[in-house]
Amino acid sequence: MTYTFMTSLDDWGRIAPVLVLVGMTLIVMLVDLILPHEGERSKHSGPQNFAVLPILALLGVLGSLAATITLFFLGDQQRAFNEMIGSDGASLYAYLIILTASGLGILLSPAYLRRLDLVHQGEYYALLLLATTGMMLLAASTSFMMVFLGIEMLSLALYILCSFVGRRKMSQESGMKYFLLSSFASAFLLYGIALTYGATGHTSFAGVAQAIAKSNGHAPTLLLIAMGLMAVGLAFKVSAIPFQAWTPDVYQGAPAPITAFMSVGTKAAALIAFVRVFGFVLWPVHLDWQPVIWVITVLTIVGGNLMALVQRNAKRMLAYSSIAHAGYLLIGVIVGQTLGASAILFYLLCYAFLNTGAFGVISVLERLDNSGSDAEGLRGLWYRRPVLAGLLAFFLLGLAGFPPMAGFAAKYYLFYAAATSGHIELLIIGVLASVLGMYYYLRTITTMFMEREPAAEVVVNAVPATPARSARRSSSRGGTAVAERPVATKVAKPVEEPAVVAENKAGKLAVFSGIALVISALGTLAMGTALPFWLVTLAQQAATMMFR
């Protein structure tokens, strides 16, 4: 058996957005070496300037966006590198989603890193760009080998980023938990890919689809096992129930900008790979796998919303909210083909602005001890920081599906796809679960706007009397001891570092976070009013090229 692998200049052109990111990652690491450090250089020191590296990383994202848009108009939409990675419209649409989340995550990071005194900026931004690269490779995969490569690349970078706050035990726990559970999921996925190769003799999507087309509508036993294992691996990455246990803990412990980025980017890449594999490649045998995915979808929609109801921490609430949204997106996998894929693409682009914006506000409020996002930290936020409270309420209403925000348009098209394909039961479950989900979004808004922060109490401590002060010596005429009255002293209640002081510490870097929140808000509003009709049409066109 011989194997010939040949590349051409066209192959490199088809992955130009990925090449730009990889090149900028190397530049970021080199610039990190030459930037002046504060004090003596050591593994504990970092560049004095907190703006140079994020600007370079952002330029990399913008360059990749420019290459993506160029390929939209000038690309040949063909697969590259021996049928392993696509440059079709769906891949480019996925690039837009992932790069949007990455760019917003970069903008949210400088003030956060400065406020928490995290000096290892070069590692941070390089890993963030590498995670973005892995997500793009996963979303554009047209081969099972590239699916595994993309998942491992994004996961290895995110393991470190989740545990980046070394002084926070919860952050260390977050990275370790994500590493251990993700390793198990990757093993399931890899074993499923191996069995798929054993059942079909191919690893490319096109080859597997041709082999399945001869199966007369039902998969052989080996392929059934392979589909189950691959479903476990991909369901873990999209946080579908019952594989969601890692999500709230990891989201809560990770740095908030990383949570904002991974909650969108990882979900987008994994879901697009999910719909490629099950909605197109394995569609001829959909009667075999659809009932299982249907159960997972319903459990994820209902379970995510129910578990979010009891959360008092905003990061954990948004984590369970993201699980519920993963359930809505899995409706697109069940619908399958062009309609389901286009609904997923459009929903994910709306979700990128909504979720990144919500976690972006949390990143501004978060302190070193991971406080600031619980009910106590959000109580009365409107009276202390009205702009942040208004923005967070805006994004939460969008996630709940209120018009005219992007969430309404996204859910409308997804539920329309479910009804059109004959899955009326999923439409009903999705609508009822969305109504249920409004409760925990509105409860958080109520906490910010209608509850005032309790006034700091003054603690009065009695100074214990010493023997000399507690009793008077008995006089020679009487032996009666008279106790002295305790001296009351006012001790001020310990007060945490005020948010204003923390913001002053970030200084002018807070402008980056402000830009990210403004972009998220404008994107949320535009996706729900002016752009949905055009972007839905673009998503439909992209979905037709997802598998050819």
Side-chain angles (χ1 to χ4, degrees):
M1 179 178 179
T2 60
Y3 178 75
T4 304
F5 179 72
M6 298 179 62
T7 63
S8 65
L9 188 60
D10 291 336
D11 289 332
W12 295 104
R14 291 166 189 153
I15 64 165
V18 175
L19 293 179
V20 171
L21 277 185
V22 173
M24 189 54 70
T25 302
L26 298 176
I27 293 174
V28 166
M29 290 190 288
L30 290 174
V31 172
D32 180 48
L33 293 175
I34 63 176
L35 284 176
H37 284 222
E38 186 175 358
E40 183 180 354
R41 285 178 178 264
S42 70
K43 65 179 181 178
H44 302 295
S45 66
Q48 291 176 311
N49 194 309
F50 278 75
V52 173
L53 295 177
I55 290 174
L56 286 176
L58 188 61
L59 288 176
V61 171
L62 293 176
S64 185
L65 273 173
T68 301
I69 295 171
T70 302
L71 287 178
F72 257 120
F73 295 102
L74 303 178
D76 57 9
Q77 311 288 317
Q78 300 299 314
R79 292 186 285 270
F81 294 102
N82 205 35
E83 306 290 315
M84 288 196 297
I85 185 168
S87 64
D88 52 86
S91 300
L92 300 177
Y93 202 105
Y95 289 173
L96 293 178
I97 300 167
I98 295 167
L99 290 171
T100 298
S102 178
L104 293 174
I106 290 170
L107 285 171
L108 292 169
S109 297
Y112 184 89
L113 296 179
R114 182 67 187 90
R115 194 166 63 247
L116 272 65
D117 289 325
L118 302 176
V119 296
H120 298 287
Q121 304 168 62
E123 300 171 16
Y124 180 92
Y125 292 109
L127 289 168
L128 200 153
L129 291 179
L130 289 174
T132 306
T133 303
M135 293 170 186
M136 293 169 67
L137 290 175
L138 175 58
S141 298
T142 55
S143 167
F144 284 106
M145 300 306 295
M146 188 58 65
V147 167
F148 184 74
L149 177 63
I151 281 183
E152 288 305 294
M153 188 172 184
L154 72 90
S155 297
L156 289 172
L158 289 177
Y159 297 153
I160 304 172
L161 288 172
C162 287
S163 58
F164 203 78
V165 187
R167 292 166 288 177
R168 184 191 295 170
K169 290 183 179 180
M170 190 174 291
S171 180
Q172 301 294 306
E173 178 187 349
S174 168
M176 182 58 68
K177 183 170 292 188
Y178 188 43
F179 166 69
L180 292 174
L181 296 180
S182 183
S183 299
F184 281 109
S186 297
F188 277 100
L189 179 65
L190 184 59
Y191 196 22
I193 291 172
L195 293 182
T196 301
Y197 177 76
T200 63
H202 298 276
T203 56
S204 68
F205 289 175
V208 172
Q210 291 175 2
I212 292 176
K214 305 173 184 178
S215 61
N216 298 321
H218 289 283
T221 303
L222 190 61
L223 186 59
L224 281 174
I225 299 173
M227 289 191 296
L229 293 172
M230 289 191 294
V232 170
L234 292 172
F236 176 90
K237 286 300 178 184
V238 303
S239 306
I241 293 177
F243 312 105
Q244 88 299 343
W246 62 276
T247 307
D249 293 336
V250 172
Y251 280 20
Q252 185 181 12
I258 297 303
T259 304
F261 164 61
M262 70 181 294
S263 67
V264 175
T266 304
K267 192 174 271 75
L271 271 161
I272 291 168
F274 210 137
V275 77
R276 276 191 199 269
V277 173
F278 285 86
F280 288 91
V281 177
L282 300 175
W283 188 254
V285 292
H286 69 275
L287 295 177
D288 291 328
W289 58 260
Q290 208 172 53
V292 176
I293 303 300
W294 189 95
V295 172
I296 291 175
T297 300
V298 173
L299 287 176
T300 306
I301 293 173
V302 177
N305 282 295
L306 287 177
M307 287 185 282
L309 290 174
V310 297
Q311 304 303 318
R312 301 296 293 170
N313 183 282
K315 286 180 81 173
R316 293 186 70 87
M317 182 271 289
L318 288 172
Y320 283 110
S321 166
S322 73
I323 292 172
H325 284 279
Y328 300 139
L329 285 159
L330 285 174
I331 294 175
V333 177
I334 294 176
V335 173
Q337 299 290 286
T338 301
L339 182 58
S342 62
I344 287 176
L345 290 172
F346 178 69
Y347 195 109
L348 284 170
L349 188 55
C350 296
Y351 185 72
F353 292 106
L354 289 165
N355 219 47
T356 308
F359 276 113
V361 176
I362 298 300
S363 74
V364 177
L365 299 172
E366 187 171 283
R367 293 189 283 271
L368 179 60
D369 60 354
N370 208 22
S371 63
S373 60
D374 52 6
E376 288 71 22
L378 294 178
R379 183 173 292 116
L381 184 63
W382 168 252
Y383 302 100
R384 291 178 281 119
R385 310 187 72 177
V387 174
L388 290 180
L391 284 171
L392 183 55
F394 179 77
F395 294 125
L396 292 178
L397 290 174
L399 288 168
F402 285 91
M405 279 77 84
F408 175 78
K411 287 184 178 179
Y412 177 85
Y413 185 48
L414 191 66
F415 294 156
Y416 165 80
T420 303
S421 64
H423 293 282
I424 302 297
E425 75 286 356
L426 292 178
L427 166 65
I428 296 172
I429 293 172
V431 171
L432 293 177
S434 296
V435 173
L436 175 65
M438 291 178 184
Y439 171 76
Y440 53 82
Y441 292 122
L442 293 175
R443 183 184 62 191
T444 303
I445 296 172
T446 301
T447 301
M448 294 188 296
F449 284 81
M450 302 182 69
E451 298 181 14
R452 286 187 176 272
E453 186 179 14
E457 298 179 359
V458 177
V459 180
V460 179
N461 289 339
V463 178
T466 60
R469 298 166 65 183
S470 63
R472 296 173 181 173
R473 294 287 184 183
S474 299
S475 61
S476 58
R477 287 177 297 179
T480 305
V482 181
E484 292 184 352
R485 177 179 296 179
V487 180
T489 59
K490 294 185 178 181
V491 180
K493 179 183 177 180
V495 180
E496 292 182 324
E497 183 185 36
V500 176
V501 175
E503 285 304 307
N504 290 337
K505 192 174 183 180
K508 296 180 180 179
L509 296 174
V511 173
F512 288 96
S513 300
I515 293 173
L517 294 177
V518 169
I519 292 174
S520 298
L522 292 177
T524 297
L525 191 59
M527 293 289 294
T529 54
L531 299 180
F533 302 104
W534 173 66
L535 287 173
V536 165
T537 303
L538 183 62
Q540 291 171 343
Q541 295 173 354
T544 59
M545 296 181 286
M546 183 171 277
F547 184 75
R548 293 182 298 173

